[in-house]
Amino acid sequence: KQEVTQIPAALSVPEGENLVLNCSFTDSAIYNLQWFRQDPGKGLTSLLLIQSSQREQTSGRLNASLDKSSGRSTLYIAASQPGDSATYLCAARNDYKLSFGAGTTVTVRA
Amino acid sequence: DGGITQSPKYLFRKEGQNVTLSCEQNLNHDAMYWYRQDPGQGLRLIYYSQIVNDFQKGDIAEGYSVSREKKESFPLTVTSAQKNPTAFYLCASGQGRNQPQHFGDGTRLSIL
């Protein structure tokens, strides 16, 4: 059974600092890994999808890396802004199923 | 705009009552999913459907039922057998294993 862990559970940084969010998974036989953002009381917004054959994926200030053999993915957010405050979830895909971590709640202080 | 619509946004259930959560998508995706989110926990899969008229149980299907009569629609019924239904319910859709899943805005279910 796939187990996905995100550490830390919460993170507070001053505006402008780079954010590093970690995701680990136990079963390396994944198709892909997806990063999401969730605002309070809202659904999930897809940020990045990294295929199992890729090492990284970039979108604007966001960069996600994937090391399938060690079961790790990292989401980097450059030059954080207060608008980046949210919960970030990662999900590993095995066949039909996404397995989610519990998320990292980020607060960016102005 | 293409997307996933969940309704209602808030729902209250009385003891012994079944309630149905609506999920509609206009993304033309074959697959649809229902997840449950509890505070401090990751999303857990309730049911999924990869094609019309077919659906499969996920990890926590007990006390829930679904139907998939149309490609666009995947309603979830929370039955009276579900003893702890208070949670945030999220519907998602996707097309193929290598494409991202997209989510609706969720329905928050509470007990009266």
Side-chain angles (χ1 to χ4, degrees), chain B residues 1 11 24 27 30 41 53 61 73 75 78 80 88 99:
Chain B
D1 282 355
L11 188 57
E24 303 277 332
L27 299 168
D30 287 320
Q41 297 188 34
N53 292 322
S73 179
V78 183
S80 57
F88 191 48
Q99 298 300 316

Side-chain angles (χ1 to χ4, degrees), chain B residues 7-99:
Chain B
S7 62
K9 190 173 175 68
Y10 300 97
L11 188 57
F12 298 90
R13 196 191 88 171
K14 296 179 182 178
E15 290 290 335
Q17 186 183 43
N18 294 351
V19 292
T20 297
L21 285 62
S22 171
C23 178
E24 303 277 332
Q25 55 103 356
N26 60 6
L27 299 168
N28 201 33
H29 288 163
D30 287 320
M32 297 186 74
Y33 308 82
W34 273 106
Y35 294 90
R36 169 180 172 140
Q37 186 176 33
D38 294 282
Q41 297 188 34
L43 279 68
R44 291 181 291 168
L45 183 64
I46 305 172
Y47 268 98
Y48 69 100
S49 168
Q50 293 181 291
I51 198 167
V52 174
N53 292 322
D54 185 59
F55 50 83
Q56 308 295 331
K57 292 181 179 180
D59 297 323
I60 55 165
E62 186 174 351
Y64 300 97
S65 65
V66 294
S67 63
R68 186 86 186 277
E69 297 177 1
K70 297 188 297 182
K71 187 175 185 177
E72 316 84 71
S73 179
F74 191 40
L76 174 73
T77 296
V78 183
T79 74
S80 57
Q82 172 49 245
K83 297 307 179 188
N84 184 24
T86 298
F88 191 48
Y89 291 86
L90 288 157
C91 178
S93 71
Q95 188 66 30
R97 293 170 183 161
N98 293 321
Q99 298 300 316

Side-chain angles (χ1 to χ4, degrees), chain A residues 31-32 34 38 43 51 95 97, chain B residues 37 59 97-98 100-101 104:
Chain A
Y31 283 95
N32 51 59
Q34 197 168 352
Q38 186 175 32
Q51 303 294 351
D95 194 16
K97 183 179 174 180
Chain B
Q37 186 176 33
D59 297 323
R97 293 170 183 161
N98 293 321
Q101 283 192 17

